[in-house]
């Protein structure tokens, strides 16, 4: 067996913290049933204790062990059948076996069943659920590659398992199944419409292009995923307002390769600004996959400002837009106002 997998299993069994790949983003994992181990996650991330963690399980049988499944069996069964293992997290009433620090003293727990083979193998070997937030310092860009993790947490975690670049690149969709009407608390690759179709019920979508302040999801902060470099969004299909906004060293990111860069490479200087794109063609899945990586890369490249085109707010574009609005919120009072609607 791969030696880093063996090292990760040993570390987890002895109450340590490791970085593991998932299909969404890299996670910072510890034994969810061991509050001392979970405390280490909060410390390493600099995460406030008011922000609960997701419990990662191997299958539905584990979900039944850690949550009050029966009250929502109908909804859970349909979601599990359709989307698990995969990027949907369900919020259910918790069982007391889960330490309060995992759930920030809430009566509910968020449970996810990742589909990444390495993560699943490690769950099987340790045979306990893993608490795992994204493997980034609190509030910073989420990691979709080992390089991104090493740049920020490399000195704090010594077992980092490389599972390649994350397939999806955006965190899981979080769905609250405990209320009368199901709610999407965080948009992700599985859209609210897909959830609604799967359970055959209407779904309240807290994520249609605006960032909601929602007490049921304490970690959903207006500002999140933030670069240190100033990030300014511009409209989809438009151009950045560079002259009025700024005159320093600027990077501009488009959703797809712009026409005036037909032969160039991403990063080329065009009329005084370095031009990048998330995707050759504008494919939303490619944009999502490349987004956090490019943002972090440019954050480390000495720019005074990063201008970034908004996505089309449709399908996966809802989740991309959600992340970009939060990432830019700290830099713009206008975007802040939008984000607090
Ligand atoms: O894709 C993902 O979900 C990744 C990978 C690593 O699995 N994990 C992730 O975890 O994004 P984190 O900690 O970065 O985000 C977890 C979110 C937080 O916003 C938190 O507020 C919310 O889940 N959450 C956790 N427990 C909750 C609960 N009981 N009710 C509502 N929201 C909850
Ligand atoms: Mg996170």
């Amino acid at each position: 067996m791969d030696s880093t997998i063996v090292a990760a299993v040993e570390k987890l069994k002895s109450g340590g913290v490791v970085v593991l790949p998932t299909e969404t983003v890299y996670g910072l994992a510890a034994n969810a049933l061991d509050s001392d181990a979970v405390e280490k996650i909060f410390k390493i991330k600099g995460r406030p204790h008011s922000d609960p963690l997701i419990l990662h399980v191997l299958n539905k049988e584990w979900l039944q062990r850690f949550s009050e499944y029966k009250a929502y069996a109908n909804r859970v069964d349909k979601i599990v059948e359709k989307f698990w293992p995969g990027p949907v997290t369900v919020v259910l009433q918790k069982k007391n076996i889960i330490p309060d620090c995992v759930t920030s003293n809430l009566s509910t727990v968020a449970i996810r069943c990742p589909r990444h083979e390495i993560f699943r193998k490690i769950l099987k070997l340790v045979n306990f659920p893993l608490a795992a937030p994204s493997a980034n310092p609190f509030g910073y860009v989420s990691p979709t590659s080992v390089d991104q993790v090493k740049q920020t947490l490399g000195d704090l975690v010594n077992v980092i398992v490389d599972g390649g670049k994350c397939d999806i690149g955006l965190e899981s969709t979080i769905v609250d199944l405990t209320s009368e009407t199901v709610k999407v608390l965080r948009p992700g690759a599985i859209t609210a419409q897909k959830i609604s179709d799967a359970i055959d019920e209407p779904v309240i979508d807290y994520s249609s292009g605006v960032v909601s302040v929602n007490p049921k999801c304490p970690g959903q902060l207006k500002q999140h995923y933030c670069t240190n470099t100033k990030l300014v969004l511009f409209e989809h299909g438009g151009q950045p307002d560079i002259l009025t906004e700024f005159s320093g060293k600027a990077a501009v990111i488009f959703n797809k390769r712009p026409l005036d860069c037909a032969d160039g490479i991403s990063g080329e200087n065009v009329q005084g600004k370095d031009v990048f794109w998330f995707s050759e063609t504008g494919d939303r899945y490619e944009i999502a996959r490349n987004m956090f990586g490019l943002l972090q890369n440019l954050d480390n490249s000495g720019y005074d400002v990063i201008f970034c085109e908004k996505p089309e707010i449709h399908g996966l574009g809802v989740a991309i837009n959600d992340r970009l609005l939060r990432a830019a919120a700290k830099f713009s009072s206008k975007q802040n106002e939008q984000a607090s609607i």
Side-chain angles (χ1 to χ4, degrees):
M1 200 188 314
D2 185 317
S3 63
T4 60
I5 294 183
V6 174
V9 169
E10 273 171 19
K11 188 91 182 169
L12 288 165
K13 282 187 171 170
S14 61
V17 175
V18 304
V19 171
L20 301 181
T22 87
E23 72 279 18
T24 57
V25 299
Y26 274 76
L28 185 64
N31 180 353
L33 305 181
D34 174 349
S35 37
D36 291 340
V38 172
E39 277 305 322
K40 293 177 191 163
I41 294 179
F42 284 96
K43 193 155 177 235
I44 291 169
K45 271 189 72 101
R47 179 172 176 125
H49 284 88
S50 56
D51 191 358
L53 304 175
I54 293 175
L55 194 83
H56 294 67
V57 300
L58 189 60
N59 51 37
K60 190 170 96 180
E61 196 264 312
W62 287 33
L63 172 143
Q64 288 169 302
R65 232 186 290 159
F66 301 111
S67 67
E68 296 300 342
Y69 156 81
K70 284 199 186 121
Y72 327 99
N74 194 26
R75 288 170 172 172
V76 177
D77 288 349
K78 288 174 178 163
I79 287 185
V80 165
E81 190 186 323
K82 183 101 188 168
F83 303 116
W84 276 20
V88 176
T89 298
V90 292
V91 174
L92 299 168
Q93 290 298 328
K94 76 165 190 169
K95 283 198 174 147
N96 286 341
I97 183 176
I98 303 169
D100 286 336
C101 60
V102 172
T103 59
S104 303
N105 293 310
L106 294 173
S107 62
T108 55
V109 58
I111 304 187
R112 150 160 155 72
C113 176
R115 74 164 179 241
H116 197 291
E117 276 313 313
I118 293 178
F119 201 111
R120 298 185 61 71
K121 189 168 195 172
I122 288 173
L123 275 176
K124 270 186 214 154
L125 289 166
V126 296
N127 201 28
F128 48 68
L130 295 173
S134 48
N136 51 299
F138 181 71
Y140 192 58
V141 179
S142 296
T144 51
S145 69
V146 158
D147 279 351
Q148 269 184 275
V149 176
K150 285 187 176 159
Q151 282 167 14
T152 57
L153 300 183
D155 293 339
L156 301 174
V157 188
N158 47 32
V159 180
I160 299 178
V161 182
D162 193 344
K165 189 167 163 176
C166 298
D167 246 16
I168 294 173
L170 295 178
E171 300 82 351
S172 60
T173 307
I174 301 180
V175 191
D176 180 3
L177 301 183
T178 64
S179 49
E180 202 174 310
T181 308
V182 170
K183 295 180 183 137
V184 170
L185 302 179
R186 178 174 72 183
I190 307 298
T191 60
Q193 186 60 53
K194 285 187 192 159
I195 301 281
S196 173
D197 291 347
I199 59 176
D200 204 16
E201 285 182 48
V203 164
I204 299 177
D205 182 3
Y206 275 101
S207 56
S208 29
V210 289
V211 180
S212 57
V213 173
N214 177 8
K216 284 215 89 179
C217 201
Q220 290 301 83
L221 302 174
K222 210 160 66 176
Q223 289 178 21
H224 214 71
Y225 321 105
C226 304
T227 48
N228 297 314
T229 311
K230 183 174 180 181
L231 180 68
V232 178
L233 305 182
F234 60 94
E235 290 309 316
H236 181 75
Q239 290 284 333
D241 194 2
I242 289 184
L243 289 181
T244 55
E245 289 273 4
F246 194 75
S247 60
K249 188 178 176 216
V252 182
I253 310 174
F254 290 96
N255 286 189
K256 67 175 180 187
R257 174 192 283 272
L259 289 176
D260 55 359
C261 295
D263 302 319
I265 51 159
S266 191
E268 185 176 33
N269 191 278
V270 181
Q271 293 166 2
K273 56 196 188 289
D274 292 348
V275 174
F276 298 83
W277 46 92
F278 288 131
S279 155
E280 279 292 319
T281 58
D283 174 74
R284 289 194 198 100
Y285 288 87
E286 199 181 355
I287 294 173
R289 212 162 25 242
N290 292 331
M291 183 174 78
F292 283 135
L294 183 55
L295 284 174
Q296 187 166 330
N297 191 1
L298 298 186
D299 196 26
N300 293 327
S301 301
Y303 288 104
D304 298 301
V305 63
I306 302 167
F307 293 96
C308 181
E309 182 186 8
K310 291 184 189 173
E312 267 182 298
I313 304 174
H314 176 70
L316 186 59
V318 173
I320 296 169
N321 188 56
D322 169 81
R323 305 305 191 274
L324 286 176
L325 278 183
R326 288 180 213 272
K330 90 171 173 197
F331 303 105
S332 152
S333 54
K334 197 166 131 228
Q335 279 162 178
N336 248 317
E337 279 160 29
Q338 244 183 320
S340 63
I341 292 169

